[in-house]
Amino acid sequence: MVTKMLTSLHGISTSHGNLITDVRLAKEAGFDALEIFYPKLVRYLANGGTTQKIKKLIADEGLSISFLSALDRFERHEAGEKQQLLAEAEKITREAVELGTDTVMVLPRNGIDHYSDEKIMDIMSENISAIAAIGEQHGIRYMIELPAFTKFRTLAQAREVIRRIGKKNVGVVVDFWHFYASGATPQDVADMDKEMIFGVHFGDGRVPKNPQAPWDETVLRDCIPGEGEIDLRAWSEAVKTTGYNGAWSIELISPRLWELDPSLLTKDLFSSIKKYAF
């Protein structure tokens, strides 16, 4: 029996719009779900919206919420910063519960890249363990993104962190561009335990031709999936090989393409995931 793929629109793909519009665009383009881009939720709630209203609107459109993205800069570890991080973790976890999604993405940046690899692993393990403990109380799990332009970027590092903390509510998001750009291969994904895969970010892009060139995502990922360097069919087949049956969220980071009509852009994005992943 073939399981239907659950397609999801990442709210960053329509960067300039609002959350209400994302719901309509996802529905009209044919997606099954919406990955809520957290800054849009924050803005919506700050201006009179509620989690119950948006949850109902999404359900009324026949959609679900795949992921809530993201708890940002989770490498923060100095005393005051870490207190702020854990307060933010409590808040986003509570909002995930209210929205009815069980998965929150956690996103590191470059804040500890100046440390040794060993210290980076210690900080990440300690922080993720503390965040995961919050989620355990509420039935929420966390998927780690591994940005290719940071020092915490490999599957081996993610596996080691998960091994150290021993918590079942921590996994990773298989992000095609970040994995590709960090040197991973489709076979690396095919060899993954499906229980470690909490989500998929379907997207395309390139890597700098000059190793000294800056890693600017808005340049390197400036393309509709299928127009970059990544063998999207190979990566998609690798994910399927694992038996993963969760959401596939399409993520576009391109200021140039964000200026297009979003109703046309989101239909093009849906067509690309159908073409290369279905």
Side-chain angles (χ1 to χ4, degrees), residues 177-238:
W177 183 78
H178 283 301
F179 273 42
Y180 168 78
S182 67
T185 67
Q187 188 59 51
D188 293 327
V189 172
D191 292 339
M192 291 177 70
D193 180 345
K194 72 175 181 179
E195 299 304 318
M196 184 183 178
I197 304 174
F198 284 9
V200 171
H201 279 172
F202 179 91
D204 206 347
R206 304 169 181 83
V207 295
K209 300 306 179 188
N210 178 355
Q212 305 305 317
W215 283 73
D216 185 344
E217 278 191 274
T218 63
V219 174
L220 297 172
R221 303 179 69 172
D222 179 25
C223 62
I224 293 287
E227 297 176 353
E229 297 175 349
I230 300 174
D231 186 343
L232 297 175
R233 288 193 178 90
W235 285 87
S236 297
E237 288 305 313

Side-chain angles (χ1 to χ4, degrees), residues 36-275:
I36 293 180
F37 185 42
Y38 192 57
K40 292 186 177 182
L41 177 65
V42 170
R43 193 176 67 203
Y44 171 79
L45 296 177
N47 289 282
T50 68
T51 51
Q52 290 307 307
K53 284 180 182 178
I54 194 64
K55 178 182 179 181
K56 182 177 187 303
L57 177 63
I58 291 170
D60 287 348
E61 292 294 340
L63 301 171
S64 60
I65 301 170
S66 56
F67 318 119
L68 181 56
S69 295
L71 176 60
D72 204 356
R73 297 176 57 237
F74 79 82
E75 76 276 14
R76 286 172 280 168
H77 65 287
E78 299 292 350
E81 282 193 335
K82 187 165 182 181
Q83 288 178 355
Q84 180 62 35
L85 170 66
L86 295 180
E88 290 172 16
E90 291 271 8
K91 180 175 182 290
I92 198 171
T93 297
R94 183 177 67 252
E95 289 162 345
V97 171
E98 293 170 0
L99 289 166
T101 183
D102 66 355
T103 305
V104 172
M105 192 177 86
V106 291
L107 176 64
R109 301 286 185 173
N110 303 99
I112 56 175
D113 281 1
H114 56 291
Y115 289 136
S116 67
D117 291 346
E118 182 179 351
K119 184 166 183 178
I120 287 171
M121 291 298 291
D122 289 344
I123 291 169
M124 291 304 197
S125 299
E126 183 177 326
N127 283 12
I128 283 289
S129 182
I131 293 166
I134 294 170
E136 284 178 324
Q137 303 172 46
H138 303 284
I140 297 298
R141 60 187 197 164
Y142 305 91
M143 62 181 191
I144 303 169
E145 182 146 88
L146 298 164
F149 43 81
T150 75
K151 287 181 66 176
F152 184 71
R153 66 182 199 166
T154 69
L155 264 175
Q157 288 172 308
R159 284 195 178 97
E160 174 61 14
V161 164
I162 292 169
R163 184 197 68 77
R164 288 187 188 186
I165 66 178
K167 294 183 183 293
K168 295 181 184 288
N169 66 331
V170 178
V172 301
V173 54
V174 175
D175 183 297
F176 286 8
W177 183 78
H178 283 301
F179 273 42
Y180 168 78
S182 67
T185 67
Q187 188 59 51
D188 293 327
V189 172
D191 292 339
M192 291 177 70
D193 180 345
K194 72 175 181 179
E195 299 304 318
M196 184 183 178
I197 304 174
F198 284 9
V200 171
H201 279 172
F202 179 91
D204 206 347
R206 304 169 181 83
V207 295
K209 300 306 179 188
N210 178 355
Q212 305 305 317
W215 283 73
D216 185 344
E217 278 191 274
T218 63
V219 174
L220 297 172
R221 303 179 69 172
D222 179 25
C223 62
I224 293 287
E227 297 176 353
E229 297 175 349
I230 300 174
D231 186 343
L232 297 175
R233 288 193 178 90
W235 285 87
S236 297
E237 288 305 313
V239 171
K240 293 176 187 176
T241 295
T242 68
Y244 170 77
N245 63 358
W248 295 57
S249 188
I250 193 158
E251 182 180 31
L252 177 75
I253 298 180
S254 168
R256 178 180 64 89
L257 295 172
W258 287 337
E259 294 303 324
L260 300 179
D261 181 337
S263 66
L264 300 178
L265 177 62
T266 49
K267 290 180 175 67
D268 285 344
L269 293 175
F270 184 73
S271 294
S272 72
I273 200 169
K274 282 184 62 178
K275 180 177 180 180

